[in-house]
Amino acid sequence: MEEAKRDEEESKQQQIWSWGAGTEGQLGTGKLEDEYLPQLLHLPFLSSAGSISTLACGGAHAIALTSVGKVFTWGRGTTGQLGHGEMLNSLHPKPVSSLQSYVITHVSAGWSHSGFVSDTGLLFTCGDGSFGQLGLGDYRSQSTPVKVDYFANNFVNQIACGMRHSLVLLKGNQVYGFGSGKRGQLGISRDKIKSVNLPQVTCGLEDVQIVSISANGDHSAAISADGHLYTWGRGFSGAADANLPQLSLSSLRCTKAALGWNHGLLLTGDDEVLMLGGNYHGGLCDLEKMSAVKHRSDSSRATLNEVIGLDGVKVVKIAAGAEHSALVTGKWMEQ
């Protein structure tokens, strides 16, 4: 009872802001306009649906997951990625009504598709299916979330949606991939795979205890229980593609990973933020300070750069967009 009261009070105090590209309604402001400053969203559903626990941003759509397991989506919906039963854009957050009878615990937004995991381990997908990224055994798009029957006898923990592919992590630590595989991002074969429309086991991780997965663009990544980072798919900074998971920097211990189109962010157990990949748009740091960046590499295919300017700051969350980065800090650490 006390927990419910706290959650209700938190939802009343919570505010959600958005900014950036908005010409397809992805800001949730009710306007088809870009915004250069953060805009406060009007979200009347918060009072009854709990506070927002997760926000996921896709190519031009967004997903909000509340603390009581309800899902709201908005933005571009032309391939069904909003799950509203129609292939139309939505300028305001709307509930995904077909999921109302489930408690959703995990969501992911890809370029034009979406994934939802329930507290009972069920997986639902919707949106663009032209590369098989919905895992439904065909190449059709879906405007309403459809249960992925392939995992009917398994418990799904997480889904990660990339540009045209998806990864799934099961309760037993096994990783699956489906969708486009032309850059090796599925990790299911040593050979190039154009696409698959049913989940297949990602090779090389069967004996590794994986705790989290990430996908964006044509990249895939996983972190093990002991903090090891595995990457596969399109190579960063001109490196060769990897058709199977590769252990990156065996000496590194990671707690979180976030992937963009051309770069990735890593949060280490020492609260350092490292970047994998290029700095084409300043995603790494101030270009004038590049000489101060510390480079790390070993015999693996990865080279990491330490993001400077964060000394004394405790970073608690990281996020990577197509060509930009963001992070959330906690309290300042003692010097």
Side-chain angles (χ1 to χ4, degrees), residues 26-294:
Q26 62 265 53
L27 298 184
T29 60
K31 299 181 292 183
L32 297 174
E33 298 177 3
D34 296 347
E35 297 289 354
Y36 295 92
L37 295 174
Q39 304 294 307
L40 178 62
L41 302 190
H42 178 59
L43 304 176
F45 62 80
L46 282 181
S47 59
S48 59
S51 59
I52 300 295
S53 60
T54 301
L55 281 173
C57 296
H61 73 292
I63 305 173
L65 174 64
T66 76
S67 56
V68 295
K70 302 307 176 186
V71 180
F72 297 80
T73 59
W74 63 95
R76 184 170 63 202
T78 52
T79 60
Q81 59 266 56
L82 301 183
H84 295 161
E86 56 190 9
M87 294 188 179
L88 298 173
N89 294 354
S90 176
L91 277 62
H92 295 283
K94 292 174 57 177
V96 180
S97 57
S98 65
L99 296 176
Q100 288 297 304
S101 60
Y102 300 93
V103 176
I104 302 301
T105 57
H106 186 85
V107 298
S108 181
W111 180 252
S112 295
H113 69 294
S114 304
F116 315 91
V117 178
S118 76
D119 63 342
T120 56
L122 299 177
L123 172 64
F124 301 86
T125 58
C126 64
D128 182 16
S130 58
F131 290 84
Q133 62 266 53
L134 302 186
L136 301 174
D138 56 38
Y139 293 95
R140 294 180 296 175
S141 298
Q142 299 288 340
S143 62
T144 300
V146 177
K147 184 170 67 173
V148 181
D149 287 333
Y150 186 91
F151 295 115
N153 297 320
N154 300 103
F155 192 104
V156 175
N157 268 342
Q158 298 176 27
I159 182 171
C161 298
M163 179 177 284
R164 300 182 183 93
H165 76 291
S166 302
L167 301 178
V168 163
L169 175 63
L170 299 185
K171 188 175 182 179
N173 303 317
Q174 200 161 41
V175 178
Y176 284 77
F178 44 97
S180 175
K182 64 179 181 178
R183 302 300 296 268
Q185 62 265 47
L186 302 182
I188 61 176
S189 171
R190 293 184 181 277
D191 301 319
K192 293 288 185 182
I193 301 293
K194 183 178 180 180
S195 66
V196 296
N197 57 25
L198 282 174
Q200 295 191 26
V201 175
T202 297
C203 302
L205 298 176
E206 295 87 348
D207 298 324
V208 181
Q209 186 179 355
I210 300 299
V211 295
S212 68
I213 52 175
S214 304
N216 199 352
D218 295 324
H219 306 292
S220 298
I223 294 178
S224 67
D226 55 6
H228 284 144
L229 171 70
Y230 296 83
T231 60
W232 61 102
R234 184 163 69 88
F236 291 100
S237 300
D241 295 351
N243 293 333
L244 297 176
Q246 307 288 315
L247 176 61
S248 299
L249 292 165
S250 58
S251 61
L252 190 67
R253 296 295 180 268
C254 299
T255 58
K256 292 181 175 65
L259 300 179
W261 282 2
N262 298 303
H263 74 294
L265 290 181
L266 305 175
L267 181 60
T268 74
D270 297 323
D271 297 311
E272 289 181 302
V273 180
L274 306 176
M275 195 180 93
L276 180 66
N279 191 51
Y280 308 113
H281 295 273
L284 171 60
C285 58
D286 187 340
L287 287 173
E288 295 180 357
K289 300 178 181 178
M290 280 293 289
S291 60
V293 176
K294 301 175 183 178

